[in-house]
Amino acid sequence: MNKESGRRWNNNIWLICIALLCFGCASNKAVVKRYDTARQDQFLPVNMNINGGQILTVGHASVVHFLGRTIINSNQFRDVEVSYLRYPYSLEIEHGWATRTGPVSLISLLVSAGSVLIIPGYMNETHTMNVRVLYNDTLIESLQYTHETKAILSLWHLSDDNRKAVAGEMVQEFLADLRERKLIPTMGDLNRPAPVMDKAI
């Protein structure tokens, strides 16, 4: 193998590696599992407030909107009110994430920026979702969920895809806890007859 063909071979190998890296990251779209609710007894209607009306960045607002729609579309509640306090039960949700940039992720971001996002870079993120379940003004339970993820930055991949996937997973955990711990009554609970107490003789 002469020098020219060897140089060509090396260039081809580099191009293949870069292409695999790019398309491998680009195909890692958010896949959010659907919460199977078809046969489950619905909870009573709730009011829902996410992040207390804070002004959010465009990216965060997109994830918060997705989180809220996931809860509403889960069909776990008879109704979800987001504008007024119509119902006795309420969900107060705080969602956000913190970015951790270590040496490896910092290098990947610099390389990505140098390639104008053709080569993907990433950031490590810690996502949290805090949920307060209330009956009128009385706190029933506080729940917290934490997930780690990598936010991929490239021309072919939106970092919000990863963030929405994480939000979907935390919503599923929350709905499972809500049902397992019976924090809110279900519609079926209203239709069950009250227990008959034996009278003392």
Side-chain angles (χ1 to χ4, degrees):
M1 183 182 288
N2 58 38
K3 290 183 179 180
E4 183 60 30
S5 60
R7 191 178 300 116
R8 242 186 244 149
W9 174 253
N10 287 337
N11 290 340
N12 289 338
I13 290 293
W14 276 110
L15 287 173
I16 290 170
C17 289
I18 290 173
L20 288 174
L21 180 63
C22 292
F23 289 111
C25 291
S27 64
N28 185 25
K29 297 293 183 183
V31 178
V32 180
K33 300 175 184 175
R34 297 228 176 238
Y35 196 84
D36 186 11
T37 60
R39 300 184 179 179
Q40 299 213 44
D41 189 13
Q42 289 181 314
F43 293 109
L44 295 185
V46 295
N47 313 302
M48 181 175 68
N49 188 317
I50 304 179
N51 283 40
Q54 298 173 13
I55 298 174
L56 306 174
T57 63
V58 174
H60 196 181
S62 171
V63 177
V64 164
H65 177 74
F66 173 84
L67 189 155
R69 295 308 305 171
T70 301
I71 291 175
I72 293 170
N73 294 336
S74 71
N75 200 34
Q76 285 289 283
F77 301 93
R78 183 65 173 154
D79 186 32
V80 178
E81 173 60 62
V82 296
S83 300
Y84 305 100
L85 294 175
R86 293 178 56 191
Y87 303 117
Y89 286 94
S90 297
L91 304 176
E92 292 185 355
I93 301 172
E94 292 290 331
H95 173 271
W97 63 81
T99 303
R100 296 177 294 103
T101 307
V104 177
S105 60
L106 182 59
I107 291 171
S108 80
L109 290 174
L110 292 173
V111 171
S112 181
S115 69
V116 198
L117 299 183
I118 294 174
I119 299 174
Y122 74 91
M123 296 180 294
N124 295 310
E125 292 179 345
T126 302
H127 290 244
T128 58
M129 185 176 82
N130 299 314
V131 185
R132 299 175 75 232
V133 183
L134 300 102
Y135 179 76
N136 292 327
D137 292 328
T138 303
L139 178 64
I140 297 173
E141 191 70 72
S142 289
L143 305 166
Q144 185 177 68
Y145 305 90
T146 304
H147 277 249
E148 303 288 332
T149 189
K150 291 184 187 301
I152 306 296
L153 303 173
S154 79
L155 288 175
W156 301 278
H157 187 90
L158 298 175
S159 55
D160 284 354
D161 288 338
N162 304 81
R163 293 165 181 160
K164 288 177 182 178
V166 170
E169 290 171 5
M170 290 193 289
V171 165
Q172 289 186 58
E173 289 180 24
F174 160 65
L175 293 174
D177 285 346
L178 200 64
R179 188 164 296 278
E180 182 180 346
R181 298 168 69 170
K182 300 180 179 178
L183 299 177
I184 295 178
T186 64
M187 298 299 294
D189 292 333
L190 298 182
N191 298 325
R192 294 188 187 97
V196 178
M197 304 298 293
D198 293 332
K199 293 181 180 179
I201 299 176

